[in-house]
Amino acid sequence: MAGGTQKPGTSETRPRGDVEATGSQSTESWWADALAFERDHLWHPYATMINPAPPWPVASAEGVRLKLADGRELIDGMASWWAVIHGYNHPRLNRALEEQLKRMAHVMFGGLTHPTAIDLARRLVALTPDPLEKVFLCDSGSVSVEVAIKMAIQYWQARGRSSKHRLLALAGGYHGDTFAAMSVCDPSVGMHHLFKGVLPQQFFAPRPRCRFGEPWDPDDITEFAHLIEEHADALAAVILEPIIQGAGGMWFYHPEYLRQVRALCDVHDVLLITDEIATGFGRTGKLFACEHADIVPDILCLGKALTGGYLTLAATLTTTEVAETISRGGAGCFMHGPTFMANPLACAVATASIDLLCESGWQCRVQNIEQQLRAELTACAKLPGVRDVRVLGATGVVEMHNPVDPSWLTQRFVEAGIWLRPFDRLIYMMPPYVIEPQDLSSMTSAVRCVLAEMGR
């Protein structure tokens, strides 16, 4: 440090990489010191820095299990925020990183290219439906949404219609934590309501009412149709999460709503952005959730499971028409370029993850998870305080009437040997696709038992 002075508590008492849950005094001492430092200096997502709830220290992870520093193992029902679809420490993904590391860890993408970026783009173009064939690689899911919004705005600027710069989104939606992404999240009860008045002002249609798998009500699209017709001259794009609204409430809605949105965007000359960051790569039982409605967006956002949870990477895909229109505009290019765009390590493991998914029989795995979740969570509907139980693909949700105490619930789940992260009124699970039936049963059984305990 400047001046030769070291801040208190910043020295390491044990080398990095040498910390294992062995139960030895030295390891316990290391963790005690580390967690004391962590409490004072490390800020966790959506967390306070004043008397924060202590996090659970993970020493290692393998398959679907997290090994805590005290030696306990937890079955992971979150797939690390829905990204680790193949499980942890997968030898094939490890090997992809190791092999790429021998060649290069990073090189700038401005004016240069490399094989792993090309390989990944080939796979994304092949997997996604026509006419999505232009690939912009970026840093994270939130950034892919920022990129999509900028694409839509630049597209209309290039067409001489700069007044079309606002977005129409859905109540109950969630699209990330950066500023443009926050502006299209639920404006009233979403996690970004504190920024109301600071964020760009967008339009919002009501959350779709018709549930997935239930009869379609044509009135469900009425308010959306009214809004897009009224504001078409100001709208650059509609943005939504197809079929599953994720962090905004884990709501599963009817595919016909999505079909109607696509048709209305076409009628009113508005682009459609689908945010498949959470739903992409098989989570809903289709490779991409848009397939449930047999529609194709103008711009598609991907992330999370793209690298199998190994490294942060996202992609925004669009059509030749959108890309070439932007390129013919006044700037002559798309105005975005992250430093770590198309990072070779991330591209290498993403390519390996896609190949592994395509070869794994994921459809059968996800279908089996869905059937088991449906069979084993149904009993929760009869428990006191439970409002709803819903399942789609490899996602199961128990919704309570009232907000839950996440700290208490997490503690009880850890004691039961599982890792879930409840929020608001929701206890939900989105496990890795490789989870075995007995582990999934352990998870659903723990949920039933803990909720029954809550109701007593």
Side-chain angles (χ1 to χ4, degrees):
M1 291 183 62
T5 303
Q6 187 175 47
K7 289 182 181 179
T10 58
S11 63
E12 288 188 307
T13 57
R14 189 167 180 176
R16 287 195 185 104
D18 191 32
V19 181
E20 296 181 16
T22 61
S24 68
Q25 184 59 43
S26 58
T27 300
E28 292 172 0
S29 175
W30 188 95
W31 274 112
D33 291 342
L35 291 175
F37 175 86
E38 205 247 16
R39 181 187 62 243
D40 293 336
H41 298 284
L42 267 177
W43 211 332
H44 283 258
Y46 312 113
T48 179
M49 283 301 291
I50 302 173
N51 298 320
W56 299 91
V58 177
S60 62
E62 184 83 23
V64 300
R65 282 174 164 71
L66 306 174
K67 189 172 185 179
L68 300 183
D70 61 10
R72 286 184 292 176
E73 290 189 352
L74 307 180
I75 301 168
D76 180 17
M78 301 299 297
S80 278
W81 268 336
W82 329 335
V84 185
I85 57 176
H86 307 297
Y88 297 93
N89 202 21
H90 195 287
R92 184 161 166 181
L93 303 187
N94 290 355
R95 187 164 60 250
L97 282 175
E98 291 163 359
E99 291 174 355
Q100 179 58 38
L101 192 57
K102 296 173 185 176
R103 293 188 287 269
M104 58 181 165
H106 184 61
V107 65
M108 66 185 289
F109 209 54
L112 301 173
T113 192
H114 53 85
T116 54
I118 298 167
D119 288 344
L120 176 57
R122 283 186 189 277
R123 282 159 176 78
L124 291 175
V125 169
L127 284 178
T128 54
D130 292 335
L132 296 172
E133 53 190 12
K134 306 299 184 185
V135 182
F136 191 96
L137 298 169
C138 45
D139 304 68
S140 68
S142 292
V143 175
S144 75
V145 171
E146 299 278 334
V147 167
I149 292 172
K150 288 174 73 172
M151 280 183 179
I153 292 171
Q154 266 199 257
Y155 171 80
W156 291 112
Q157 286 176 346
R159 286 188 55 179
R161 301 179 66 182
S162 58
S163 63
K164 289 172 72 68
H165 60 83
R166 296 179 71 180
L167 282 293
L168 173 55
L170 302 184
Y174 173 80
H175 299 282
D177 295 346
T178 49
F179 255 66
M182 283 195 294
S183 78
V184 290
C185 294
D186 190 293
S188 54
V189 298
M191 62 182 71
H192 300 313
H193 67 279
L194 294 174
F195 296 90
K196 189 175 183 180
V198 179
L199 297 170
Q201 297 300 296
Q202 314 291 10
F203 300 105
F204 288 88
R207 180 200 292 271
R209 297 187 310 274
C210 289
R211 297 167 63 121
F212 190 97
E214 295 189 356
W216 166 246
D217 179 0
D219 287 341
D220 202 11
I221 197 69
T222 300
E223 184 60 24
F224 178 94
H226 172 73
L227 285 167
I228 195 171
E229 179 179 9
E230 181 180 5
H231 301 291
D233 289 341
L235 288 175
V238 168
I239 184 169
L240 50 72
E241 301 156 280
I243 305 301
I244 293 183
Q245 289 188 310
M250 304 304 296
W251 178 247
F252 310 155
Y253 64 89
H254 201 291
E256 183 60 27
Y257 188 96
L258 192 54
R259 280 190 285 269
Q260 296 281 335
V261 167
R262 173 71 273 183
L264 288 164
C265 286
D266 292 340
V267 168
H268 295 289
D269 209 12
V270 175
L271 298 178
L272 175 59
I273 301 169
T274 58
D275 174 353
E276 295 239 23
I277 293 161
T279 57
F281 302 105
R283 180 58 66 176
T284 69
K286 301 285 188 181
L287 192 60
F288 301 107
C290 286
E291 295 174 24
H292 287 284
D294 195 26
I295 64 103
V296 182
D298 301 292
I299 303 174
L300 170 67
C301 299
L302 299 174
K304 287 193 183 294
L306 177 59
T307 68
Y310 268 64
L311 289 170
T312 179
L313 183 70
T316 307
L317 285 81
T318 192
T319 65
T320 296
E321 199 268 332
V322 169
E324 291 187 354
T325 299
I326 290 171
S327 301
R328 286 192 296 265
C333 65
F334 178 53
M335 297 298 289
H336 200 87
T339 300
F340 289 97
M341 180 177 179
N343 171 261
L345 285 172
C347 289
V349 76
T351 299
S353 178
I354 289 172
D355 289 348
L356 183 59
L357 180 69
C358 292
E359 298 165 12
S360 68
W362 65 269
Q363 297 98 328
C364 184
R365 287 179 178 272
V366 170
Q367 184 180 46
N368 290 341
I369 291 171
E370 179 179 46
Q371 291 173 350
Q372 188 174 350
L373 286 174
R374 202 178 300 279
E376 296 179 3
L377 288 179
T378 299
C380 292
K382 299 178 181 178
L383 295 173
V386 173
R387 179 181 183 182
D388 187 36
V389 176
R390 48 189 181 267
V391 174
L392 180 60
T395 304
V397 182
V398 179
E399 181 177 353
M400 310 300 290
H401 283 286
N402 299 309
V404 300
D405 180 345
S407 296
W408 182 86
L409 271 176
T410 301
Q411 173 74 40
R412 291 294 293 112
F413 287 145
V414 168
E415 291 169 358
I418 66 171
W419 175 249
L420 296 174
R421 186 176 168 86
F423 73 95
D424 193 28
R425 301 192 307 267
L426 303 174
I427 299 98
Y428 74 99
M429 53 197 70
M430 297 176 82
Y433 302 162
V434 296
I435 193 167
E436 294 292 340
Q438 60 269 28
D439 286 337
L440 191 56
S441 287
S442 295
M443 191 179 305
T444 56
S445 175
V447 169
R448 291 196 306 271
C449 290
V450 172
L451 293 184
E453 180 183 344
M454 283 176 58
R456 288 200 290 270

